[in-house]
Amino acid sequence: MTTAAHARTVKEQTFDVLRAYELTTLFSNPGSTEVGFLADLPADISFVLGLHEGSVVGMASGSALATGRPALVLLHTTAGYGNAVSALATARANRAPLVVIVGQQDRRHLAHEPFLAGKLDGLAGDYPVWQHTPARAQDVPGAVARAWHEAQEGRGPAVVVVPMDDWFAAADEEVAQAAPRGPVAVRGGRTASDDALAALAALLAAADAPCLVAGAGNDTADGWEGLVALAERLDCPVYQEPFGAARASPRTTVSSPGTCPRSAPHCVRCSRGTTRSSRSEPQPSANTPMLRATSPIRAPGSPSSRTIRRRPTAAPRSWCCSPNRPTP
């Protein structure tokens, strides 16, 4: 509580941000640069300790994938962040949204590069979807809020580096925070334009025998629901991408011939053996576009459980559709 004798700190303001974004479970293997943040931890913030950063990020990734929203990770400076890189790479591959706070040496001493001063920019390579070191302590709460949006939109770890003395600095109540949590209509680089969607719809409408290739990025409840609705609308089979890290479609509710071969031409050869179920006999077609779903396909308002009828197929080509046999 703010009184005349007690001005709110950056730390207190950051905890308000964490509550607003439902980041109230903290996964961490902390070090000395994180002690100030963890001292007098509020009772409504749950702390989950891991003895290695790989385990910490792994637990947080599992939580994020299970809940469908970003999870919070707190890491020690260079040593802890470096230990976590492989797990962060896995989180990025698995599209697990994480808000990662990394400790840093006291801001006032960084120019002299003392012990625990880490060169953290670029340490994790290109695996974070976003990384930021606030220019001043008062910008930390806003940076954490933005990290939530970056993780949610980019489906990966968003990193905020916080010097250890920032937590005790006086908060700036006039600083505008990031957009509130919740469904916000955005148009960014990860969103297809209306023109691109119209061109895709026209391509599929003109196709004789379309097929879908779903990737690991579609492994969400919304993605499966949207994929089922689209496959039913097109009356077409759904292939799994080769070497996928996750299951891309509910194979019990869509026509799924199997895993797509590694090369597009061979996948086209597979799809030419199938036609729409309204036809009595399978007919090859040269007009067979493939739509690859690398991000969740959303179908707002559609039922969560829909069944698609099986389509007649030509004699299966096991060398082409089986994930266990090499492509010639």
Side-chain angles (χ1 to χ4, degrees):
M1 182 177 68
T2 303
T3 66
H6 175 71
R8 275 163 54 86
T9 64
V10 167
K11 175 180 172 178
E12 291 171 314
Q13 195 177 60
T14 300
F15 278 124
D16 287 345
V17 170
L18 298 182
R19 295 183 184 101
Y21 286 83
E22 296 186 358
L23 295 170
T24 54
T25 299
L26 175 60
F27 298 88
S28 181
N29 181 22
S32 54
T33 54
E34 293 71 55
V35 169
F37 179 71
L38 294 175
D40 298 321
L41 194 69
D44 61 334
I45 303 296
S46 301
F47 181 80
V48 180
L49 175 67
L51 299 184
H52 188 279
E53 288 74 13
S55 301
V56 167
V57 175
M59 289 188 291
S61 298
S63 174
L65 293 173
T67 62
R69 61 177 186 267
L72 177 63
V73 178
L74 178 66
L75 299 175
H76 188 40
T77 183
T78 311
Y81 191 21
N83 277 347
V85 170
S86 61
L88 292 172
T90 302
R92 178 67 181 272
N94 290 335
R95 298 173 57 83
L98 302 176
V99 174
V100 183
I101 298 176
V102 179
Q104 174 65 291
Q105 176 59 274
D106 191 302
R107 187 183 291 270
R108 298 164 294 181
H109 304 320
L110 288 177
H112 305 289
E113 298 187 2
F115 180 65
L116 297 179
K119 297 182 182 296
L120 303 179
D121 290 343
L123 181 60
D126 294 331
Y127 291 113
V129 296
W130 183 72
Q131 177 164 328
H132 179 64
T133 302
R136 60 182 191 138
Q138 289 72 20
D139 295 330
V140 168
V144 172
R146 177 174 173 178
W148 186 94
H149 288 280
E150 295 286 352
Q152 182 79 340
E153 174 71 7
R155 308 306 295 178
V159 178
V160 181
V161 177
V162 183
M164 59 193 296
D165 59 311
D166 283 6
W167 301 119
F168 306 105
D172 185 349
E173 301 292 351
E174 301 301 321
V175 174
Q177 301 299 323
R181 180 181 62 85
V184 180
V186 295
R187 281 286 183 180
R190 302 181 182 95
T191 305
S193 67
D194 292 336
D195 290 343
L197 291 176
L200 178 60
L203 176 69
L204 292 175
D208 294 325
C211 71
L212 302 176
V213 181
N218 200 57
D219 185 26
T220 65
D222 288 341
W224 282 22
E225 181 180 345
L227 183 63
V228 168
L230 180 60
E232 184 179 52
R233 177 71 176 271
L234 296 174
D235 193 13
C236 71
V238 178
Y239 290 88
Q240 169 84 25
E241 70 171 346
F243 306 111
R247 186 172 173 181
S249 65
R251 297 187 179 182
T252 57
T253 54
V254 296
S255 175
S256 180
T259 301
C260 185
R262 294 185 292 273
S263 64
H266 288 132
C267 197
V268 171
R269 290 172 62 185
C270 267
S271 62
R272 286 178 180 174
T274 61
T275 60
R276 297 185 186 277
S277 59
S278 59
R279 299 181 180 180
S280 59
E281 295 294 335
Q283 297 292 331
S285 172
N287 188 12
T288 309
M290 292 179 297
L291 174 62
R292 182 175 181 181
T294 57
S295 297
I297 301 174
R298 303 185 183 276
S302 59
S304 58
S305 174
R306 302 180 68 180
T307 305
I308 230 176
R309 60 186 179 277
R310 290 281 178 177
R311 306 171 58 251
T313 62
R317 298 177 179 177
S318 60
W319 61 266
C320 188
C321 297
S322 171
N324 300 319
R325 299 189 64 178
T327 300

